[in-house]
Amino acid sequence: CYNALKVANYLSLHSKVEKTIYPGLKNHPQHELIKKQMLQGGSIITFIIKENKAFQFMNALNIFDISNNLGDTKSLVTHPATTTHRVIGEEGRKKLNISDTMIRLSIGLEDKDDLIEDIDQAFKQVI
């Protein structure tokens, strides 16, 4: 997903992002394997926001819809610690490095520049 790579690159350089996890980025530990198996790195991007303001950030998004599930033609955002990984408990999440500051994006078919602009305006609202 070309749009996802552009958004992942943007997030990886953002001052409010601690870490961006996306197979299409060269710093991903399985980047070389992904290049052999896929044309792009897929549509799911995981990132760690520096401050514990994940919900403020997610609520400030306009294009992305908050969802429990990812994968759609519409861009979605989820908070793994309180949705997909909630049932494994705090200790289980710690073992898997699922923090309260982790956010997952599913990049849809919207224009990449619109998505980046939406993310940027949400970051500006997170103090």
Side-chain angles (χ1 to χ4, degrees):
C1 180
Y2 178 74
N3 283 352
L5 179 60
K6 291 295 182 183
V7 172
N9 279 323
Y10 165 80
L11 288 168
S12 70
L13 299 173
H14 200 284
S15 63
K16 292 188 179 180
V17 174
E18 182 179 318
K19 182 178 183 180
T20 303
I21 305 165
Y22 180 69
L25 293 176
K26 292 180 181 177
N27 67 349
H28 191 278
Q30 294 179 322
H31 179 72
E32 291 304 314
L33 176 62
I34 294 301
K35 284 181 15 182
K36 292 177 186 175
Q37 295 179 342
M38 304 169 69
L39 295 176
Q40 297 286 330
S43 63
I44 306 297
I45 303 166
T46 301
F47 70 98
I48 310 297
I49 196 167
K50 284 186 177 176
E51 296 182 40
N52 195 3
K53 307 238 180 193
F55 286 108
Q56 286 178 321
F57 170 82
M58 292 170 58
N59 287 330
L61 293 167
N62 294 313
I63 295 175
F64 291 83
D65 285 339
I66 296 174
S67 177
N68 291 340
N69 299 303
L70 298 177
D72 198 338
T73 57
K74 169 93 177 86
S75 291
L76 304 170
V77 60
T78 192
H79 186 254
T82 59
T83 58
T84 56
H85 292 78
R86 178 186 55 80
V87 297
I88 64 172
E90 188 174 340
E91 288 303 313
R93 288 191 299 276
K94 281 184 183 178
K95 288 179 186 176
L96 296 173
N97 295 318
I98 307 291
S99 69
D100 288 342
T101 57
M102 179 180 280
I103 298 169
R104 285 209 171 113
L105 302 176
S106 176
I107 304 302
L109 300 178
E110 300 89 353
D111 182 78
K112 67 185 177 330
D113 294 328
D114 291 341
L115 296 174
I116 290 169
E117 183 179 309
D118 189 29
I119 293 167
D120 190 54
Q121 68 80 28
F123 275 130
K124 288 176 181 173
Q125 293 186 51
V126 176
I127 300 169

